[in-house]
Amino acid sequence: MRAGKSKAIIDLAEYLYHHRGITGVVVFAPNGVHQNWVRREFVRHCSTPYKAAAYQSTARKTQWHMKAIERVSEVGNHISFLTIYSETIWRKPAIDILRGFLKGHKGNILLVVDESHDFRTPSSKRSRTAKSFAKQCKFVRIMTGTPAENSPLHVWSQFEILKPGALGFKTFGEFKANYAITKKSYGPGGREFEQVVGYKNLEDLKSRVSEWASVVTKRGAGISGVAVRA
């Protein structure tokens, strides 16, 4: 926290707008945080003319909300920012807005996934939606302070958003087999499942992650990582 990740991302967005042809930026972030991007971060750090809107599911049918989304979905002499909270990106109203934004900007978009550890589960609807949308964007960045808080296995899904196969494995099963130590266990009713009891080859995993990730540290505030895709 408070290691300057948001400013670094906005600086990057401005560079990509002026030099690499993007016209829009989508930010996936936790509920409430997505509004802070509009209310605080862009105001403080963006020096390029911009328009911004934060998706609000409870207001999505109101005229003011629809007009705000419409404005940022159009290309103009400004950067367009759309922020949307991660918990809802897989629902149809949000998907429709994302598709409209994507179409309006013809894919010339930077996707930013804030607190990407929220996408650590490969099979979740939000992870699958983020991965699908990322493939259609020109640039992708993920950022988090806790990429693997409880398990090294959590990094796979996050880096799949950056680029399929980024860590060198086509499936989560292959990734898990390479880094997890498992044993057969039995649950209620005698159901058999694989229980993770430890991890292996972690230096190799660190090396693979380092090819994509930049780490920003701040004394007294822990470590925050910003992973990138060129």
Side-chain angles (χ1 to χ4, degrees):
M1 295 177 60
R2 305 189 182 189
K5 299 190 300 296
S6 299
K7 183 182 185 306
I9 288 293
I10 293 169
D11 288 348
L12 173 66
E14 292 188 80
Y15 172 83
L16 294 177
Y17 171 76
H18 289 294
H19 301 288
R20 299 294 295 275
I22 72 160
T23 55
V25 179
V26 173
V27 179
F28 295 158
N31 194 13
V33 176
H34 79 297
Q35 293 176 319
N36 287 339
W37 277 87
V38 173
R39 294 171 178 171
R40 185 171 59 193
E41 302 300 339
F42 301 140
V43 174
R44 287 181 177 178
H45 304 304
C46 189
S47 58
T48 299
Y50 73 88
K51 293 182 179 179
Y55 173 73
Q56 298 180 51
S57 60
T58 56
R60 69 179 187 273
K61 294 183 179 180
T62 63
Q63 187 174 18
W64 68 265
H65 187 270
M66 290 189 289
K67 285 187 176 295
I69 298 298
E70 186 178 314
R71 283 196 297 269
V72 297
S73 297
E74 296 174 349
V75 175
N77 296 320
H78 57 267
I79 310 176
S80 291
F81 292 103
L82 171 64
T83 67
I84 184 166
Y85 53 99
S86 304
E87 298 92 330
T88 195
I89 64 169
W90 59 274
R91 298 185 182 276
K92 187 179 185 304
I95 288 176
D96 288 343
I97 286 174
L98 288 171
R99 285 174 176 168
F101 192 89
L102 186 72
K103 182 179 180 180
H105 291 278
K106 299 179 180 179
N108 294 314
I109 293 168
L110 165 65
L111 171 63
V112 178
V113 182
D114 191 3
E115 304 296 356
S116 62
H117 55 270
D118 285 342
F119 297 81
R120 62 188 176 273
T121 305
S123 59
S124 72
K125 290 180 180 179
R126 75 174 69 171
S127 294
R128 296 201 303 267
T129 301
K131 183 178 176 181
S132 175
F133 186 71
K135 289 178 181 178
Q136 303 174 75
C137 297
K138 197 169 184 178
F139 299 94
V140 182
R141 297 294 185 270
I142 65 174
M143 49 195 284
T144 178
T146 53
E149 185 176 17
N150 298 312
S151 168
L153 300 183
H154 289 167
V155 302
W156 188 80
S157 183
Q158 297 174 62
F159 279 78
E160 282 293 292
I161 296 172
L162 284 175
K163 182 179 179 181
L167 297 180
F169 300 90
K170 292 182 178 179
T171 68
F172 178 65
E174 293 175 357
F175 178 82
K176 182 178 178 180
N178 199 66
Y179 298 113
I181 302 169
T182 62
K183 72 173 184 178
K184 288 183 180 180
S185 294
Y186 298 89
R191 183 178 61 87
E192 183 180 299
F193 67 96
E194 275 192 351
Q195 180 184 4
V196 176
V197 295
Y199 302 100
K200 59 185 178 179
N201 303 324
L202 294 185
E203 287 303 316
D204 174 72
L205 179 57
K206 276 185 180 181
S207 177
R208 292 172 187 266
V209 167
S210 68
E211 293 180 11
W212 296 92
S214 300
V215 176
V216 179
T217 63
K218 183 176 181 180
R219 189 174 181 179
I223 297 178
S224 297
V226 181
V228 304
R229 182 179 105 190

